[in-house]
Amino acid sequence: MRWTWDPDKAAANRVKHGLSFETAILVFDDPLHASKPDPHPDGDRWHTIALVGPVLLLVIHTCRKLNRKQASRSAALSARGRPPPTRGKPMKKETSKRLTRQQLAELKLLAALPDSAIDTSDAAEVLDWSGAKRGLFYRPVKQQLTLRLDADVVAWFKSHTKSNEGYQTRINRALREYVQGQASKSRRSRA
């Protein structure tokens, strides 16, 4: 997923919220993030909330397309600087990238803020998350590898791929569908 943002907006956001856009976009690395449309008069905005390290972040962003291939950009950010309450052991979760020292410092400062010090004036309060979609903007981490495939299989994917999508993307989707089908069969056989 490609992210773009206005440098002036990014600088203003860092001053206002103490958070860089580079850190804020990590909410989309959480496969369990929740996203809900924001009926803002300025256009298509979304509220997305997720864990980044120990901090629950709310990111307000726009989305150019509403399908699974959207290219999104961050537009405005707000963060709730309090670790969420937990019971038992914390869930093991990895982001697709390791947090940098700068990102860890930002998150530590946010976590230490009292709720009253968090500026949410540019974010309308969302009390009802019942219509939120889980993982809408999540993209699994890609792994580069060399793979030998039969020439006729590659030729078929190349000839049956739309111009707005690469043949490797289509091969990946076919493999993902196969894996999901196998996982479903496995679950049904255990039941």
Side-chain angles (χ1 to χ4, degrees), residues 102-126:
Q102 181 180 345
Q103 290 170 328
L104 288 169
E106 285 178 342
L107 293 170
K108 186 176 180 181
L109 288 172
L110 282 175
L113 282 177
D115 286 350
S116 60
I118 298 170
D119 184 353
T120 59
S121 62
D122 55 357
E125 187 172 15
V126 177

PDB file of all heavy atoms in Angstrom, residues 102-126:
ATOM      1  N   GLN A 102      12.821   6.332  17.309  1.00  0.00           N
ATOM      2  CA  GLN A 102      11.990   7.535  17.274  1.00  0.00           C
ATOM      3  C   GLN A 102      10.511   7.166  17.467  1.00  0.00           C
ATOM      4  O   GLN A 102       9.794   7.831  18.208  1.00  0.00           O
ATOM      5  CB  GLN A 102      12.196   8.268  15.958  1.00  0.00           C
ATOM      6  CG  GLN A 102      11.383   9.536  15.847  1.00  0.00           C
ATOM      7  CD  GLN A 102      11.610  10.244  14.513  1.00  0.00           C
ATOM      8  OE1 GLN A 102      12.553   9.953  13.785  1.00  0.00           O
ATOM      9  NE2 GLN A 102      10.730  11.170  14.198  1.00  0.00           N
ATOM     10  N   GLN A 103      10.046   6.121  16.791  1.00  0.00           N
ATOM     11  CA  GLN A 103       8.652   5.697  16.930  1.00  0.00           C
ATOM     12  C   GLN A 103       8.369   5.207  18.351  1.00  0.00           C
ATOM     13  O   GLN A 103       7.325   5.527  18.923  1.00  0.00           O
ATOM     14  CB  GLN A 103       8.321   4.603  15.913  1.00  0.00           C
ATOM     15  CG  GLN A 103       8.282   5.120  14.494  1.00  0.00           C
ATOM     16  CD  GLN A 103       8.203   4.014  13.463  1.00  0.00           C
ATOM     17  OE1 GLN A 103       8.731   2.922  13.649  1.00  0.00           O
ATOM     18  NE2 GLN A 103       7.545   4.309  12.351  1.00  0.00           N
ATOM     19  N   LEU A 104       9.290   4.453  18.913  1.00  0.00           N
ATOM     20  CA  LEU A 104       9.120   3.991  20.296  1.00  0.00           C
ATOM     21  C   LEU A 104       9.038   5.171  21.258  1.00  0.00           C
ATOM     22  O   LEU A 104       8.225   5.169  22.183  1.00  0.00           O
ATOM     23  CB  LEU A 104      10.268   3.059  20.694  1.00  0.00           C
ATOM     24  CG  LEU A 104      10.244   1.671  20.055  1.00  0.00           C
ATOM     25  CD1 LEU A 104      11.563   0.947  20.306  1.00  0.00           C
ATOM     26  CD2 LEU A 104       9.078   0.854  20.586  1.00  0.00           C
ATOM     27  N   ALA A 105       9.867   6.186  21.025  1.00  0.00           N
ATOM     28  CA  ALA A 105       9.841   7.384  21.877  1.00  0.00           C
ATOM     29  C   ALA A 105       8.506   8.113  21.742  1.00  0.00           C
ATOM     30  O   ALA A 105       7.920   8.547  22.747  1.00  0.00           O
ATOM     31  CB  ALA A 105      11.002   8.309  21.522  1.00  0.00           C
ATOM     32  N   GLU A 106       8.009   8.263  20.511  1.00  0.00           N
ATOM     33  CA  GLU A 106       6.705   8.908  20.291  1.00  0.00           C
ATOM     34  C   GLU A 106       5.603   8.160  21.038  1.00  0.00           C
ATOM     35  O   GLU A 106       4.778   8.772  21.726  1.00  0.00           O
ATOM     36  CB  GLU A 106       6.343   8.915  18.800  1.00  0.00           C
ATOM     37  CG  GLU A 106       7.077   9.905  17.957  1.00  0.00           C
ATOM     38  CD  GLU A 106       6.687   9.807  16.489  1.00  0.00           C
ATOM     39  OE1 GLU A 106       6.115   8.792  16.047  1.00  0.00           O
ATOM     40  OE2 GLU A 106       6.958  10.782  15.789  1.00  0.00           O
ATOM     41  N   LEU A 107       5.605   6.841  20.909  1.00  0.00           N
ATOM     42  CA  LEU A 107       4.557   6.038  21.540  1.00  0.00           C
ATOM     43  C   LEU A 107       4.659   6.072  23.063  1.00  0.00           C
ATOM     44  O   LEU A 107       3.641   6.109  23.759  1.00  0.00           O
ATOM     45  CB  LEU A 107       4.616   4.599  21.021  1.00  0.00           C
ATOM     46  CG  LEU A 107       4.262   4.453  19.539  1.00  0.00           C
ATOM     47  CD1 LEU A 107       4.579   3.042  19.057  1.00  0.00           C
ATOM     48  CD2 LEU A 107       2.809   4.799  19.291  1.00  0.00           C
ATOM     49  N   LYS A 108       5.881   6.093  23.574  1.00  0.00           N
ATOM     50  CA  LYS A 108       6.068   6.175  25.022  1.00  0.00           C
ATOM     51  C   LYS A 108       5.516   7.493  25.574  1.00  0.00           C
ATOM     52  O   LYS A 108       4.842   7.516  26.612  1.00  0.00           O
ATOM     53  CB  LYS A 108       7.556   6.024  25.363  1.00  0.00           C
ATOM     54  CG  LYS A 108       7.839   5.940  26.842  1.00  0.00           C
ATOM     55  CD  LYS A 108       9.324   5.704  27.093  1.00  0.00           C
ATOM     56  CE  LYS A 108       9.600   5.621  28.572  1.00  0.00           C
ATOM     57  NZ  LYS A 108      11.022   5.409  28.857  1.00  0.00           N
ATOM     58  N   LEU A 109       5.791   8.586  24.873  1.00  0.00           N
ATOM     59  CA  LEU A 109       5.266   9.891  25.291  1.00  0.00           C
ATOM     60  C   LEU A 109       3.740   9.919  25.228  1.00  0.00           C
ATOM     61  O   LEU A 109       3.081  10.460  26.115  1.00  0.00           O
ATOM     62  CB  LEU A 109       5.851  11.014  24.438  1.00  0.00           C
ATOM     63  CG  LEU A 109       7.322  11.355  24.693  1.00  0.00           C
ATOM     64  CD1 LEU A 109       7.831  12.337  23.653  1.00  0.00           C
ATOM     65  CD2 LEU A 109       7.502  11.908  26.103  1.00  0.00           C
ATOM     66  N   LEU A 110       3.164   9.346  24.173  1.00  0.00           N
ATOM     67  CA  LEU A 110       1.698   9.293  24.060  1.00  0.00           C
ATOM     68  C   LEU A 110       1.079   8.470  25.178  1.00  0.00           C
ATOM     69  O   LEU A 110       0.061   8.838  25.744  1.00  0.00           O
ATOM     70  CB  LEU A 110       1.283   8.711  22.707  1.00  0.00           C
ATOM     71  CG  LEU A 110       1.367   9.644  21.521  1.00  0.00           C
ATOM     72  CD1 LEU A 110       1.051   8.890  20.236  1.00  0.00           C
ATOM     73  CD2 LEU A 110       0.410  10.809  21.684  1.00  0.00           C
ATOM     74  N   ALA A 111       1.692   7.339  25.486  1.00  0.00           N
ATOM     75  CA  ALA A 111       1.159   6.464  26.530  1.00  0.00           C
ATOM     76  C   ALA A 111       1.177   7.153  27.893  1.00  0.00           C
ATOM     77  O   ALA A 111       0.336   6.858  28.746  1.00  0.00           O
ATOM     78  CB  ALA A 111       1.954   5.158  26.581  1.00  0.00           C
ATOM     79  N   ALA A 112       2.113   8.064  28.075  1.00  0.00           N
ATOM     80  CA  ALA A 112       2.227   8.756  29.364  1.00  0.00           C
ATOM     81  C   ALA A 112       1.257   9.925  29.504  1.00  0.00           C
ATOM     82  O   ALA A 112       1.058  10.436  30.608  1.00  0.00           O
ATOM     83  CB  ALA A 112       3.660   9.246  29.552  1.00  0.00           C
ATOM     84  N   LEU A 113       0.659  10.375  28.397  1.00  0.00           N
ATOM     85  CA  LEU A 113      -0.255  11.516  28.461  1.00  0.00           C
ATOM     86  C   LEU A 113      -1.551  11.177  29.190  1.00  0.00           C
ATOM     87  O   LEU A 113      -2.132  10.121  28.945  1.00  0.00           O
ATOM     88  CB  LEU A 113      -0.639  11.969  27.036  1.00  0.00           C
ATOM     89  CG  LEU A 113       0.344  12.798  26.246  1.00  0.00           C
ATOM     90  CD1 LEU A 113      -0.215  13.052  24.849  1.00  0.00           C
ATOM     91  CD2 LEU A 113       0.633  14.104  26.924  1.00  0.00           C
ATOM     92  N   PRO A 114      -2.017  12.074  30.052  1.00  0.00           N
ATOM     93  CA  PRO A 114      -3.363  11.871  30.616  1.00  0.00           C
ATOM     94  C   PRO A 114      -4.400  12.130  29.518  1.00  0.00           C
ATOM     95  O   PRO A 114      -4.141  12.875  28.565  1.00  0.00           O
ATOM     96  CB  PRO A 114      -3.463  12.913  31.729  1.00  0.00           C
ATOM     97  CG  PRO A 114      -2.452  13.949  31.367  1.00  0.00           C
ATOM     98  CD  PRO A 114      -1.366  13.264  30.581  1.00  0.00           C
ATOM     99  N   ASP A 115      -5.558  11.507  29.620  1.00  0.00           N
ATOM    100  CA  ASP A 115      -6.599  11.671  28.607  1.00  0.00           C
ATOM    101  C   ASP A 115      -6.927  13.137  28.349  1.00  0.00           C
ATOM    102  O   ASP A 115      -7.171  13.536  27.217  1.00  0.00           O
ATOM    103  CB  ASP A 115      -7.877  10.928  29.012  1.00  0.00           C
ATOM    104  CG  ASP A 115      -7.740   9.424  28.856  1.00  0.00           C
ATOM    105  OD1 ASP A 115      -6.735   8.972  28.269  1.00  0.00           O
ATOM    106  OD2 ASP A 115      -8.643   8.702  29.313  1.00  0.00           O
ATOM    107  N   SER A 116      -6.912  13.948  29.390  1.00  0.00           N
ATOM    108  CA  SER A 116      -7.274  15.359  29.245  1.00  0.00           C
ATOM    109  C   SER A 116      -6.274  16.135  28.386  1.00  0.00           C
ATOM    110  O   SER A 116      -6.596  17.201  27.859  1.00  0.00           O
ATOM    111  CB  SER A 116      -7.384  16.011  30.619  1.00  0.00           C
ATOM    112  OG  SER A 116      -6.137  15.916  31.296  1.00  0.00           O
ATOM    113  N   ALA A 117      -5.060  15.627  28.210  1.00  0.00           N
ATOM    114  CA  ALA A 117      -4.034  16.324  27.436  1.00  0.00           C
ATOM    115  C   ALA A 117      -4.041  15.926  25.961  1.00  0.00           C
ATOM    116  O   ALA A 117      -3.297  16.489  25.171  1.00  0.00           O
ATOM    117  CB  ALA A 117      -2.655  16.031  28.029  1.00  0.00           C
ATOM    118  N   ILE A 118      -4.890  14.984  25.580  1.00  0.00           N
ATOM    119  CA  ILE A 118      -4.936  14.523  24.196  1.00  0.00           C
ATOM    120  C   ILE A 118      -5.922  15.393  23.421  1.00  0.00           C
ATOM    121  O   ILE A 118      -7.094  15.482  23.774  1.00  0.00           O
ATOM    122  CB  ILE A 118      -5.321  13.035  24.125  1.00  0.00           C
ATOM    123  CG1 ILE A 118      -4.266  12.197  24.849  1.00  0.00           C
ATOM    124  CG2 ILE A 118      -5.460  12.584  22.673  1.00  0.00           C
ATOM    125  CD1 ILE A 118      -4.646  10.755  25.041  1.00  0.00           C
ATOM    126  N   ASP A 119      -5.428  16.033  22.388  1.00  0.00           N
ATOM    127  CA  ASP A 119      -6.246  16.944  21.581  1.00  0.00           C
ATOM    128  C   ASP A 119      -6.997  16.157  20.510  1.00  0.00           C
ATOM    129  O   ASP A 119      -6.401  15.653  19.570  1.00  0.00           O
ATOM    130  CB  ASP A 119      -5.360  18.000  20.928  1.00  0.00           C
ATOM    131  CG  ASP A 119      -6.150  19.036  20.141  1.00  0.00           C
ATOM    132  OD1 ASP A 119      -7.378  18.870  19.982  1.00  0.00           O
ATOM    133  OD2 ASP A 119      -5.534  20.011  19.692  1.00  0.00           O
ATOM    134  N   THR A 120      -8.296  16.042  20.675  1.00  0.00           N
ATOM    135  CA  THR A 120      -9.129  15.352  19.685  1.00  0.00           C
ATOM    136  C   THR A 120     -10.087  16.322  19.004  1.00  0.00           C
ATOM    137  O   THR A 120     -11.107  15.908  18.454  1.00  0.00           O
ATOM    138  CB  THR A 120      -9.924  14.203  20.349  1.00  0.00           C
ATOM    139  OG1 THR A 120     -10.743  14.758  21.376  1.00  0.00           O
ATOM    140  CG2 THR A 120      -9.007  13.150  20.922  1.00  0.00           C
ATOM    141  N   SER A 121      -9.754  17.605  19.004  1.00  0.00           N
ATOM    142  CA  SER A 121     -10.655  18.615  18.458  1.00  0.00           C
ATOM    143  C   SER A 121     -10.915  18.451  16.962  1.00  0.00           C
ATOM    144  O   SER A 121     -11.955  18.871  16.466  1.00  0.00           O
ATOM    145  CB  SER A 121     -10.108  20.019  18.732  1.00  0.00           C
ATOM    146  OG  SER A 121      -8.850  20.183  18.095  1.00  0.00           O
ATOM    147  N   ASP A 122      -9.978  17.828  16.237  1.00  0.00           N
ATOM    148  CA  ASP A 122     -10.191  17.652  14.798  1.00  0.00           C
ATOM    149  C   ASP A 122     -10.777  16.289  14.459  1.00  0.00           C
ATOM    150  O   ASP A 122     -10.875  15.915  13.302  1.00  0.00           O
ATOM    151  CB  ASP A 122      -8.898  17.872  14.019  1.00  0.00           C
ATOM    152  CG  ASP A 122      -7.760  16.984  14.491  1.00  0.00           C
ATOM    153  OD1 ASP A 122      -7.946  16.243  15.462  1.00  0.00           O
ATOM    154  OD2 ASP A 122      -6.679  17.038  13.886  1.00  0.00           O
ATOM    155  N   ALA A 123     -11.186  15.552  15.490  1.00  0.00           N
ATOM    156  CA  ALA A 123     -11.758  14.224  15.272  1.00  0.00           C
ATOM    157  C   ALA A 123     -13.114  14.133  15.963  1.00  0.00           C
ATOM    158  O   ALA A 123     -13.193  14.205  17.186  1.00  0.00           O
ATOM    159  CB  ALA A 123     -10.820  13.155  15.839  1.00  0.00           C
ATOM    160  N   ALA A 124     -14.154  13.987  15.164  1.00  0.00           N
ATOM    161  CA  ALA A 124     -15.477  13.810  15.750  1.00  0.00           C
ATOM    162  C   ALA A 124     -15.495  12.507  16.551  1.00  0.00           C
ATOM    163  O   ALA A 124     -14.945  11.499  16.115  1.00  0.00           O
ATOM    164  CB  ALA A 124     -16.522  13.748  14.641  1.00  0.00           C
ATOM    165  N   GLU A 125     -16.090  12.546  17.730  1.00  0.00           N
ATOM    166  CA  GLU A 125     -16.124  11.362  18.578  1.00  0.00           C
ATOM    167  C   GLU A 125     -17.032  10.300  17.963  1.00  0.00           C
ATOM    168  O   GLU A 125     -18.153  10.581  17.554  1.00  0.00           O
ATOM    169  CB  GLU A 125     -16.631  11.728  19.966  1.00  0.00           C
ATOM    170  CG  GLU A 125     -16.528  10.586  20.944  1.00  0.00           C
ATOM    171  CD  GLU A 125     -16.859  11.008  22.364  1.00  0.00           C
ATOM    172  OE1 GLU A 125     -17.432  12.093  22.553  1.00  0.00           O
ATOM    173  OE2 GLU A 125     -16.548  10.234  23.276  1.00  0.00           O
ATOM    174  N   VAL A 126     -16.512   9.091  17.876  1.00  0.00           N
ATOM    175  CA  VAL A 126     -17.285   7.964  17.357  1.00  0.00           C
ATOM    176  C   VAL A 126     -17.581   7.049  18.544  1.00  0.00           C
ATOM    177  O   VAL A 126     -16.682   6.446  19.119  1.00  0.00           O
ATOM    178  CB  VAL A 126     -16.508   7.188  16.270  1.00  0.00           C
ATOM    179  CG1 VAL A 126     -17.307   5.983  15.793  1.00  0.00           C
ATOM    180  CG2 VAL A 126     -16.174   8.103  15.108  1.00  0.00           C
TER     181      VAL A 126
END
